[in-house]
């Protein structure tokens, strides 16, 4: 997700002995502010980090993904109505040594950027970002690690043509092992996908059949192409492609674990989503004896045990909960992975979740699973546990 020229604009830039200073103007009317902080807008920390990363890319003339952020301090509230213009001071060095601002080296691909966000004597935040350049050897940033894990990204999409192109471009910075399932879209999705032909594997069918069916088709294609694991993302721009590295890092350590994204700022969730998530979390615990804080998150890594052998029986949104419960019953480890989330303002956010019908379907599934848990789920978990002892 790119914020430059939409969330903020660069007014002025100057070179210093330490690096580069930027004067930027924040857009207080941006959907992020309207969605989360109406009346008293506050610049989220995740947006500040993204701005620093983007300005570092401008300065160093390279594209980066964020490896880690350290020494983060939020000292004052950055309200774009009170402080529409702020300075961001960047001090940059490579991991191999200092960088001369007038002669940025091109053979290094890992940088440490120290940043201060301020207006005069008022300091809003400080942070140190560890960045790694994308495409240094003609490959997406994470491609070698994706290849080693035989891992791909699966994105089901239905009528999200406005956001889809940006989502795919973001993902392609990190991997080209990408499968898009066009679930019978009736908007301009076909036209968007035509611009990615040759770079993205596309599965398409004419009639909308639901997210569960789209996941089934995506896993079938992934398995046919030789992938063993798959990361799923939503196509509405809610997820950050840079968080793919989190899943890759965890999968390298724990290759058989089912990783479920856990939103790091759950309080920002729209009220109806928050209720549905708590409802789903409760029944998941009842049905499996396990706890997860974000069972509704579509940003996940499905391990080989699922991609190679398991397909959802249900066809719509309830399929994601179904796969979680069935995985737990087979004693497949299910663990959270911290991810960020972006919610557009209500008027701009497109969701195909039908509160009445889909909630009813999820309730029916939970009722069925409650009885199955007693007669099959818990005995199955005990059986698989005894097999391992």
């Amino acid at each position: 997700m790119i914020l430059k020229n939409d969330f903020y604009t660069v007014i002025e830039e100057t070179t210093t002995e330490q690096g580069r200073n930027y004067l930027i103007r924040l857009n207080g009317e941006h959907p992020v502010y309207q969605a989360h902080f109406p009346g008293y807008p506050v610049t989220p920390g995740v947006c500040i980090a993204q701005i620093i990363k983007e300005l570092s890319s401008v300065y160093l003339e390279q594209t980066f993904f964020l490896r880690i952020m350290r020494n983060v301090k939020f000292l004052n509230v950055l309200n774009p109505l009170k402080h529409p213009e702020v300075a961001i001071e960047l001090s940059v060095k490579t991991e191999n040594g200092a960088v001369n601002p007038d002669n940025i080296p091109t053979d290094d691909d890992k940088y440490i950027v120290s940043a201060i966000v301020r207006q005069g004597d008022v300091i809003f935040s400080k942070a140190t970002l560890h960045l790694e350049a994308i495409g240094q050897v003609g490959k997406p940033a994470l491609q070698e690690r994706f290849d080693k894990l035989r891992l791909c990204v699966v994105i089901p999409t239905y009528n999200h043509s406005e956001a889809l192109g940006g989502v795919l471009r973001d993902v392609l910075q990190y991997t080209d092992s990408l499968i898009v399932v066009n679930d019978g879209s009736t908007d301009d999705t076909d036209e968007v996908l035509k611009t990615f032909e040759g770079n993205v594997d596309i599965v398409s069918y004419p009639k909308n059949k639901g997210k569960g069916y789209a996941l089934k088709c995506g896993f079938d294609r992934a398995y046919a192409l030789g992938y063993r694991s798959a990361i799923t993302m939503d196509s509405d721009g809610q997820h950050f492609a840079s968080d793919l590295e989190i899943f890759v890092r965890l999968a390298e350590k724990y290759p058989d674990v089912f990783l479920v994204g856990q939103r790091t700022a759950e309080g920002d969730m729209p009220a109806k989503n928050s209720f549905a998530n708590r409802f789903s979390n409760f029944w998941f615990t009842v049905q499996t004896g396990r706890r997860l804080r974000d069972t509704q998150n579509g940003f996940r890594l499905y391990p080989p045990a699922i991609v190679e052998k398991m397909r959802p029986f249900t066809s719509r949104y309830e399929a994601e909960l179904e796969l979680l419960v069935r995985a737990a019953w087979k004693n497949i480890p299910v663990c959270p992975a911290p991810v960020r989330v972006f919610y557009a303002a209500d008027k701009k956010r497109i969701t195909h979740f039908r509160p009445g019908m889909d909630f009813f379907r999820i309730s029916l599934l939970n009722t069925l699973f409650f009885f199955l848990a007693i007669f099959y789920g818990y005995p199955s978990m005990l059986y698989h546990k005894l097999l391992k002892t």
Side-chain angles (χ1 to χ4, degrees):
M1 180 169 301
I2 305 300
L3 299 180
K4 190 170 180 288
N5 299 326
D6 185 17
F7 192 83
Y8 70 98
T9 53
V10 176
I11 303 172
E12 180 182 311
E13 58 181 282
T14 56
T15 300
T16 68
E17 292 183 0
Q18 291 75 33
R20 185 75 58 87
N21 291 352
Y22 291 90
L23 180 65
I24 68 170
R25 179 179 292 114
L26 296 167
N27 174 16
E29 299 300 319
H30 192 275
V32 167
Y33 293 122
Q34 301 305 311
H36 303 316
F37 314 105
Y40 188 80
V42 176
T43 307
V46 66
C47 292
I48 293 175
Q50 180 69 12
I51 291 171
I52 295 170
K53 181 170 78 77
E54 290 178 14
L55 293 178
S56 299
S57 294
V58 172
Y59 174 32
L60 299 171
E61 298 182 351
Q62 299 185 70
T63 304
F64 296 97
F65 74 88
L66 177 61
R67 294 171 56 217
I68 194 169
M69 187 161 61
R70 300 182 184 275
N71 305 321
V72 182
K73 296 180 180 178
F74 297 108
L75 304 174
N76 290 285
V77 173
L78 178 51
N79 181 331
L81 301 182
K82 293 185 175 181
H83 309 282
E85 295 182 4
V86 294
I88 298 184
E89 302 172 358
L90 302 182
S91 175
V92 183
K93 63 181 180 180
T94 67
E95 290 195 351
N96 297 321
V99 174
N100 180 343
D102 296 321
N103 185 24
I104 300 299
T106 58
D107 56 340
D108 290 299
D109 62 358
K110 294 181 180 178
Y111 295 84
I112 301 174
V113 178
S114 298
I116 299 175
V117 182
R118 70 192 310 160
Q119 187 182 78
D121 295 331
V122 179
I123 297 177
F124 299 102
S125 58
K126 297 180 179 181
T128 301
L129 277 61
H130 291 244
L131 304 175
E132 184 167 343
I134 293 171
Q136 289 297 304
V137 292
K139 284 188 177 182
L142 301 175
Q143 193 58 52
E144 290 184 4
R145 297 163 74 182
F146 265 76
D147 292 342
K148 188 174 181 180
L149 291 167
R150 291 168 63 185
L151 173 65
C152 68
V153 175
V154 173
I155 300 180
T157 187
Y158 174 63
N159 287 356
H160 279 299
S161 60
E162 290 188 6
L164 180 61
V167 171
L168 299 184
R169 283 189 290 273
D170 284 351
V171 172
L172 287 170
Q173 293 182 78
Y174 300 94
T175 179
D176 57 19
S177 301
L178 176 56
I179 299 169
V180 180
V181 182
N182 181 8
D183 183 24
S185 297
T186 58
D187 60 359
D188 295 328
T189 293
D190 282 335
E191 297 303 314
V192 173
L193 290 177
K194 283 180 182 178
T195 66
F196 290 91
E197 288 180 351
N199 297 310
V200 173
D201 194 86
I202 301 170
V203 179
S204 187
Y205 41 87
K207 187 176 180 180
N208 174 252
K209 296 186 178 182
K211 191 172 186 180
Y213 186 85
L215 289 174
K216 174 186 175 299
C217 292
F219 293 161
D220 286 346
R221 178 60 67 91
Y223 184 65
L225 293 174
Y227 296 113
R228 300 190 69 239
S229 305
I231 297 174
T232 59
M233 295 178 64
D234 294 341
S235 64
D236 59 1
Q238 182 180 138
H239 302 142
F240 287 78
S242 54
D243 285 343
L244 288 169
E245 198 274 338
I246 296 171
F247 287 97
V248 170
R249 182 168 13 102
L250 291 173
E252 288 169 338
K253 291 184 177 181
Y254 314 105
D256 298 318
V257 170
F258 187 172
L259 297 170
V260 182
Q262 180 172 296
R263 284 164 270 211
T264 55
E266 188 172 348
D268 290 339
M269 216 185 289
K272 60 184 179 181
N273 298 67
S274 183
F275 171 77
N277 198 44
R278 291 195 302 270
F279 181 83
S280 179
N281 296 347
F282 169 78
W283 282 109
F284 176 76
T285 300
V286 170
Q287 294 154 4
T288 67
R290 305 187 187 186
R291 292 184 179 275
L292 275 180
R293 281 179 47 196
D294 205 354
T295 53
Q296 292 283 299
N297 201 323
F299 204 173
R300 305 174 170 195
L301 188 149
Y302 290 88
I306 296 177
V307 172
E308 296 178 359
K309 300 177 182 179
M310 192 182 297
R311 298 292 180 268
F313 299 123
T314 51
S315 62
R316 296 196 176 273
Y317 284 101
E318 67 272 17
E320 291 178 309
L321 176 61
E322 176 206 327
L323 290 171
L324 267 179
V325 173
R326 289 172 57 198
W329 286 352
K330 291 184 177 295
N331 266 12
I332 296 171
V334 180
C335 298
V339 297
R340 296 168 294 164
V341 64
F342 169 80
Y343 288 113
D346 287 343
K347 292 182 179 179
K348 295 190 176 184
R349 183 169 179 253
I350 299 174
T351 176
H352 303 294
F353 184 84
R354 301 166 298 177
M357 180 58 69
D358 287 323
F359 191 76
F360 176 71
R361 293 170 66 98
I362 292 171
S363 297
L364 283 180
L365 180 68
N366 281 319
T367 302
L368 173 63
F369 274 1
F370 174 75
F371 290 104
L372 284 177
I374 297 171
F375 297 105
Y376 172 77
Y378 278 94
S380 176
M381 288 187 287
L382 178 61
Y383 170 74
H384 285 94
K385 184 176 181 180
L386 290 174
L387 283 181
K388 292 183 179 181
T389 59

